[in-house]
Amino acid sequence: MNVLIDLEPRRKPVAVVEVRDLRRVFKTKKGESVALERVDLDVHEGEIFGLLGPNGAGKTTLIRILTTLLLPSSGTATVCGFDVAKEAQKVRPVIGVASGSERPGYDFITARGNLWFFSQLYGISTEEAKKRTAELSKSLGFSEQLDKKLYMLSTGYRQRVTIARGFINDPKIVFMDEPTSGLDVITARTIRLFLLEQAKEHGRTIFIATHNMVEGETICDRVAIIDKGKVLACDTPAALKKQVGRQVVVMEVGPPQPFHFVNALRGVSGVSSTIDNEREIATVRILVEDDGVEAQVRREMEGKGMKVYASWKQEPTLEEVFIKFVGRGFEESEGIAS
Ligand SMILES: Nc1ncnc2c1ncn2[C@@H]1O[C@H](COP(=O)(O)OP(=O)(O)OP(=O)(O)O)[C@@H](O)[C@H]1O
Ligand SMILES: [Mg+2]
């Protein structure tokens, strides 16, 4: 008789963050503003979790609640099993926080001095603080800047120091609010690789609020799409793409013309285009509902005197996933910032 033994049974994920029916309302002059409504979320140990949403979605409000800086209006949230409202003192030592809009510390003190200062707020021994400063600055690529005063550092290096500060207390979970916003590609990439290393090699849980699709797509194990205070979807980027249930047809056509007419065709649910003026070619991305639509789009384009040089299929991007759930793209939604 064959007995099948599962040698590595899949471990049930351990929830490090549990949010239940969370609501947060702000009183404003005009009345009430609901920043979070019926939010339910679980974040698992060792994962990079992305909270993806446009301006005013409620991302920072949720991070402020989870990091004990703000109380919920109703509902509950726990971090490492501690209630953020009732056991804030127990939550604080096990978390780290870093925000893209934050200052890393005191301008007239060196990066090293700042990190030592913050380590002392957690009661870390000098020896341990030195060790962590050396490790973090190495991983984040600012060892050479450690003895420079903060005001002398570029935006990118200042942000690296801010991120290091979020990890100085060896936290179980780190909350990051737009960690790479406004940074150049190299710095953003260094930070993302650092976050991956922290999650995958050190088992730390990373919670990132972002409206950066690259971040969601490249480093997050799971993402929650949030808009107007509500979580609209939560899954792995791959599973969310499947849920879109549509394909993207990319066409290179010329000469470029307005492509609004494509949007009006049956079976097309979205169109975007970029134009290469030098080559007089447009790359058009068309979100189609089924295979038959492509031939019709091609006919319409040729009927308008355009030539289709190439066409291929792609899976939807996270931005297209976002458009499906939110009903509009990020660029459009930027304008509704509060
Ligand atoms: N202190 C406050 N007083 C009044 N309203 C507030 C306050 N903080 C946040 N809000 C409102 O709550 C909503 C959510 O804001 P929040 O800052 O959490 O969004 P966000 O997703 O972080 O946006 P962004 O991408 O712009 O940072 C917005 O409508 C905002 O105006
Ligand atoms: Mg915010």
Side-chain angles (χ1 to χ4, degrees):
M1 188 176 73
N2 285 334
V3 181
L4 286 175
I5 303 172
D6 194 355
L7 289 175
E8 281 190 66
R10 213 173 256 181
R11 260 197 330 140
K12 200 168 170 268
V14 178
V16 182
V17 175
E18 288 178 291
V19 178
R20 296 290 175 267
D21 204 12
L22 195 75
R23 189 165 196 267
R24 174 69 211 204
V25 184
F26 289 105
K27 293 227 157 55
T28 61
K29 279 182 198 150
K30 287 187 210 146
E32 281 192 340
S33 157
V34 182
L36 293 171
E37 181 87 284
R38 292 198 185 148
V39 173
D40 287 294
L41 277 183
D42 279 348
V43 179
H44 307 150
E45 189 173 33
E47 78 176 343
I48 303 188
F49 186 90
L51 188 64
L52 218 62
N55 291 139
K59 303 182 296 294
T60 300
T61 304
L62 182 55
I63 284 199
R64 289 180 69 207
I65 290 175
L66 295 176
T67 54
T68 78
L69 298 175
L70 191 71
L71 285 169
S73 302
S74 63
T76 58
T78 62
V79 172
C80 296
F82 303 122
D83 187 302
V84 293
K86 297 185 192 127
E87 297 170 292
Q89 299 300 339
K90 290 185 178 158
V91 172
R92 285 177 197 145
V94 296
I95 64 169
V97 189
S99 155
S101 56
E102 214 178 332
R103 298 171 74 84
Y106 299 94
D107 271 349
F108 291 93
I109 298 177
T110 60
R112 190 192 301 281
N114 268 288
L115 290 174
W116 183 82
F117 172 78
F118 286 103
S119 75
Q120 295 313 290
L121 298 182
Y122 290 101
I124 297 164
S125 72
T126 303
E127 201 183 323
E128 187 62 27
K130 275 187 185 163
K131 193 172 141 244
R132 286 189 201 159
T133 300
E135 283 168 5
L136 291 168
S137 59
K138 186 164 174 256
S139 295
L140 279 160
F142 69 92
S143 309
E144 312 233 312
Q145 325 293 324
L146 270 174
D147 294 310
K148 290 190 182 148
K149 290 181 180 163
L150 286 190
Y151 77 87
M152 291 169 70
L153 299 183
S154 66
T155 312
Y157 281 115
R158 290 167 72 96
Q159 184 59 2
R160 292 176 202 224
V161 179
T162 305
I163 306 276
R165 201 184 96 185
F167 288 79
I168 198 78
N169 59 323
D170 194 16
K172 289 220 174 310
I173 173 161
V174 184
F175 294 90
M176 323 205 95
D177 199 353
E178 311 281 357
T180 61
S181 77
L183 300 179
D184 64 63
V185 179
I186 308 256
T187 310
R189 191 176 140 79
T190 306
I191 291 175
R192 287 183 196 130
L193 289 175
F194 169 79
L195 298 179
L196 271 175
E197 176 198 282
Q198 289 296 321
K200 305 305 160 205
E201 286 172 31
H202 300 273
R204 254 186 264 282
T205 309
I206 317 267
F207 185 105
I208 309 180
T210 182
H211 48 235
N212 188 315
M213 289 296 171
V214 178
E215 223 143 67
E217 191 115 43
T218 55
I219 63 167
C220 292
D221 297 300
R222 290 191 308 137
V223 297
I225 293 179
I226 183 172
D227 186 38
K228 298 182 186 148
K230 290 190 181 144
V231 174
L232 305 178
C234 179
D235 215 322
T236 60
L240 289 175
K241 285 175 188 179
K242 270 205 192 116
Q243 276 191 44
V244 171
R246 291 169 199 162
Q247 274 190 325
V248 176
V249 175
V250 187
M251 288 182 166
E252 284 194 342
V253 299
Q257 286 181 24
F259 292 100
H260 307 298
F261 71 92
V262 179
N263 227 346
L265 299 177
R266 258 187 54 189
V268 170
S269 29
V271 179
S272 66
S273 61
T274 49
I275 294 174
D276 179 340
N277 283 321
E278 243 170 65
R279 289 165 63 215
E280 290 208 356
I281 284 181
T283 306
V284 194
R285 288 178 63 84
I286 309 156
L287 204 55
V288 299
E289 275 155 27
D290 60 71
D291 280 349
V293 186
E294 186 184 347
Q296 203 211 334
V297 173
R298 189 183 272 263
R299 273 197 301 277
E300 292 281 336
M301 284 181 168
E302 285 167 353
K304 288 186 182 297
M306 283 184 251
K307 194 166 169 9
V308 179
Y309 296 109
S311 89
W312 64 92
K313 290 205 174 81
Q314 259 180 14
E315 67 166 358
T317 61
L318 207 50
E319 182 154 4
E320 279 146 355
V321 170
F322 179 86
I323 292 169
K324 172 187 154 82
F325 285 105
V326 178
R328 59 184 199 279
F330 268 103
E331 279 142 32
E332 289 167 65
S333 51
E334 309 269 82
I336 55 155
S338 46

